């Protein structure tokens, strides 16, 4: 009995312990299983959320990559559209040259299909589209449809269109001369190379699905796991949005989004492996299970402490994953310093977080920073300007200063683009050294164009800054054993007087800068008279176009005398406009925008014809008189200038030696080779050629020696400054000696008093003109003035009706 009792007691004792151990093990395993299940589900959900966020970021990167590609394509198209030779070929309807330029330029920038359309949008010529099932007519029709879409929406930088399933990016750029004379259409396929770039940049496999009307969707480009052909069908069948996919037992999340496309539909699909993202956790789960099994015999407190140590970093990882889902990539993770598997998982999450943070930083940098100079770009400048203007009081002015380097295209052409990049970096550093106002922002907004935003600066402060910037470029740059003289034209626009919003302010600062460069001045503030698009100048231009037919223009003359003898030897022909309502319109109010719009050619030809009409009377009053007529840049670049002058000469029988043609240095340097060819033809005809405003342009002595000119005109600013500035006197003396050594005669403008005239005589100057001799006078007063001058040998009072130049 006792034995059976002892046996049952021993049995119960041996059975109870395993039961307790078993219950403990079961309870522990159950608890662990619940914990693991909860954590696994939570982590998997968070991982899928992170993946979905990553795919959404991938979509933005892909679209940004397409935008950058379109911007690069647009820059290339703009470069072709602004090429003078190409515009000449377009204007002359040289279709063969246009096609050759399209092929060469398209090959250089990687454009697969390049086309030119006329001003009405009709296709003129195009390059061949490789390997397509579309007929040539179908390709032509689609290109014209794409061009119409872009032309109707000029704010749209690019458009996607399908050509035989393959999506192409198209950009359209106008060709101006100066009006729109045609359109350049360039395209870039969304091909394997672009997809590979995306894969390298973001490490996310992608596929591009395209189908035209009546076609089944098909994958045209793929990378990574999407590349095998057998996977194309399920990818092509995916709906828009986030969807699950399974390939060979591996789970994926796919994000499909549509691209706005003409002539069909194009969809991009981004893939991310869920199992790959969860793999570190699965490994950790098994390791934690082993740890739990080994800790069955430990006390509950130790188990509890161990569980807290295990679950705390997991909770931190969950919080970090949630932060990543919200886009907070800068949140630091806990537990990354641990040496166990939890630490490995934390470091894995930290690596993913750091990668996303770097990608976001790279996207920000690409969007708002100029990679060459490190300065903010146009987008960053515009955003800053919008932020500064938001809620700003009109009593607190703001200035935008735009600066464009002179002769930078010449530097690129002669010394190469790599050297040009070095010059831009050096110029940016000089600008940094000067722009030190609080809150000021310096940006590079174009090839050789910079812009400064100065909050709190009025017009006077802006002009003072412009003077400092101009002084910063006085010292030459010495780069790679090359010495480069830099200068710049600057334009200023002040808020709110010159523009109420950011875009208007930036645009008008650029208009002022272009006008400053055209006038060879350092800096100009915006004025409506500078803007050929303003309401005031549009009205004036409309009247000016009718001024010739209405006989409102008047020919004025300003005499030139022989400095040694005082004899009248020549006269400069000038144009004045007597408006029926506005009265006498100052030349500076209509000549600059006449040059911008090209109407200056009509003014020049009116002056030439009017000079011929007055020629008999002029010769009667001043036998052997030589008349000088100014040629603008547009006159010099006109393809029919020489032929027109030949016809004019034959029509009026005026010897070309009696007519002088004055050309500014800046007009010659706009296109030196073409200008030299035109001047050689004019010189061969017998015209006397003169370089006007000498000393304010950029021509070199070596180039000057090659030009077929007979005369230099010293700019009035140096002549008028002879009395008060020793530097100006040295410039005048040196210019006279230089011209005489080259066999040229010298005319000095700006002779304002007798002392200057005497000084010029002592320096050996040949001819002079200025207010001391006579102001510009109507041609009808010329004979009377000549009689007075011959009888007195001294300046006469201006005849009635004479006005200042």
């Amino acid at each position: 009995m006792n034995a059976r009792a002892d046996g049952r007691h021993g049995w119960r004792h041996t059975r109870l312990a395993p039961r307790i151990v078993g219950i403990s093990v079961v309870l522990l395993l159950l608890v662990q299983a619940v914990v693991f299940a909860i954590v696994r589900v939570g982590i998997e959900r968070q991982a899928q959320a992170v993946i979905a966020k990553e795919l959404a970021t991938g979509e933005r990167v892909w679209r940004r990559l397409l935008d950058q590609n379109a911007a690069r394509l647009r820059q290339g198209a703009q470069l072709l559209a602004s090429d003078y030779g190409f515009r000449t070929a377009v204007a002359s309807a040289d279709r063969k040259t246009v096609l050759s330029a399209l092929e060469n330029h398209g090959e250089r920038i990687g454009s697969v299909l390049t086309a030119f359309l006329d001003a009405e949008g009709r296709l003129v010529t195009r390059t061949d589209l490789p390997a397509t099932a579309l007929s040539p007519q179908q390709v032509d029709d689609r290109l014209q449809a794409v061009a119409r879409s872009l032309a109707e929406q000029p704010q749209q930088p690019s458009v996607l269109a399908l050509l035989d399933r393959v999506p192409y990016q198209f950009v359209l750029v106008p060709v101006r001369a100066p009006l729109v004379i045609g359109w350049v259409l360039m395209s870039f396929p969304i091909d394997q190379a672009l997809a590979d770039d995306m894969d390298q940049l973001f490490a996310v496999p992608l596929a591009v699905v395209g189908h035209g009307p009546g076609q089944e969707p098909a994958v045209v480009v793929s990378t990574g796991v999407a590349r095998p052909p057998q996977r194309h069908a399920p990818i092509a069948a995916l709906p828009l949005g986030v969807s699950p996919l399974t390939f060979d037992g591996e789970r994926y999340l796919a994000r499909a989004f549509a691209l706005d496309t003409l002539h069909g539909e194009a969809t991009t699909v981004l893939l991310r492996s869920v199992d790959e993202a969860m793999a570190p956790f699965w490994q950790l789960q098994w390791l934690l299970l082993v740890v739990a099994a080994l800790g069955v015999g430990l006390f509950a407190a130790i188990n509890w402490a161990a569980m807290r140590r295990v679950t705390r970093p997991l909770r931190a990882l969950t919080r970090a994953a949630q932060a990543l889902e919200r886009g907070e990539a800068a949140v630091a993770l806990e537990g990354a310093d641990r040496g166990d598997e939890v630490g490995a998982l934390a470091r894995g999450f930290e690596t993913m977080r750091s990668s996303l943070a770097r990608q976001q930083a790279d996207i920000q940098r690409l969007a708002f920073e100029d990679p060459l100079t490190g300065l903010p770009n146009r987008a960053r400048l515009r955003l800053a300007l919008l932020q500064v203007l938001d809620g700003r009081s009109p009593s607190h002015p703001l200035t935008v200063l735009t600066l464009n380097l002179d002769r930078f295209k010449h530097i690129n052409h002669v010394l190469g683009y790599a050297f040009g990049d070095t010059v831009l970096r050096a110029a940016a550093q000089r600008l940094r050294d000067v722009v030190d106002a609080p809150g000021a922002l310096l940006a590079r907004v174009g090839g050789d164009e910079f812009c400064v935003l100065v909050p709190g600066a009025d017009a006077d402060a802006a002009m003072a800054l412009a003077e400092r910037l101009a002084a910063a470029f006085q010292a030459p740059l010495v780069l790679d054993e090359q010495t480069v003289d830099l200068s710049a034209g600057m334009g200023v626009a002040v808020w709110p007087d010159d523009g109420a919003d950011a875009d208007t302010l930036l645009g008008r600062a650029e208009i002022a800068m272009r006008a400053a460069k055209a006038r060879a001045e350092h800096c100009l503030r915006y004025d409506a008279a500078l803007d050929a698009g303003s309401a005031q100048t549009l009205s004036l231009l409309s009247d000016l176009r009718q001024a010739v037919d209405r006989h409102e223009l008047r020919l004025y003359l300003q005499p030139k005398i022989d400095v040694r003898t005082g004899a009248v030897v020549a006269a400069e022909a000038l144009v004045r406009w007597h408006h029926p309502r506005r009265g006498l319109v100052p030349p500076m109010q209509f000549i600059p925008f006449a040059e911008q719009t090209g109407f200056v050619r009509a003014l020049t030809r009116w002056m030439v014809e009017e000079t011929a009409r007055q020629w008999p009377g002029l010769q009667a009053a001043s036998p052997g008189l030589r008349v000088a007529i100014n040629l603008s840049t547009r006159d010099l670049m006109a393809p029919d200038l020489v032929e027109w002058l030949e016809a004019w000469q034959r029509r009026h029988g005026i010897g070309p030696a009696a007519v002088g043609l004055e050309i500014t240095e800046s007009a010659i340097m706009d296109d030196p080779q073409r200008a030299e060819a035109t001047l050689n033809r004019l010189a061969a005809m017998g015209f006397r050629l003169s370089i006007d405003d000498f000393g304010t342009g950029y021509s070199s002595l070596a180039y000057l020696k090659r030009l077929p000119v007979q005369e230099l005109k010293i700019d009035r600013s140096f002549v008028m400054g002879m009395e008060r500035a020793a530097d100006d006197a040295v410039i005048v003396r040196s210019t006279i000696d230089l011209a005489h050594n080259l066999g040229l005669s010298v005319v000095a403008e700006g002779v304002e008093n007798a002392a200057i005239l005497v000084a010029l005589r002592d320096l050996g100057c040949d001819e002079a003109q200025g207010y001391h001799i006579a102001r510009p006078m109507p041609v009808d007063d010329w004979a009377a003035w000549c009689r007075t001058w011959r009888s007195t040998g001294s300046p006469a009072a201006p005849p009635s009706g004479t006005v200042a130049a």
Side-chain angles (χ1 to χ4, degrees), residues 112-134:
V112 173
L113 181 59
T114 309
F116 174 75
L117 301 94
D118 62 17
E120 286 72 33
R122 294 186 296 267
L123 182 66
V124 176
T125 185
R126 64 173 176 84
T127 59
D128 292 330
L129 180 65
T132 177
L134 298 176

Side-chain angles (χ1 to χ4, degrees), residues 568-569 617-626 790:
V568 178
V569 293
L618 295 177
Q619 292 301 306
S622 307
L625 181 71
R626 188 178 70 251
R790 281 196 296 269

Side-chain angles (χ1 to χ4, degrees), residues 506-553:
L506 290 170
R508 290 181 172 175
E510 186 167 351
I511 289 172
M513 178 268 292
R514 299 297 177 194
K517 290 177 71 71
R519 300 182 185 181
E521 297 187 27
H522 285 312
C523 184
L524 285 177
R525 181 181 174 181
Y526 172 79
D527 186 89
L530 303 175
D531 187 357
S534 70
Q536 173 185 344
T537 54
L538 285 174
S539 174
L540 200 62
L541 178 60
S542 177
D543 292 344
L544 180 59
R545 293 187 183 277
Q546 304 177 54
V548 176
D549 297 333
R550 294 177 177 176
H551 307 290
E552 297 172 4
L553 301 180

Side-chain angles (χ1 to χ4, degrees), residues 397 399 401 437 454-469 492 494:
T399 292
L401 184 149
V454 189
D458 57 12
D460 293 337
M463 299 305 286
L465 173 61
E467 290 296 327
R468 295 199 304 274
L469 292 173
V492 168
V494 181

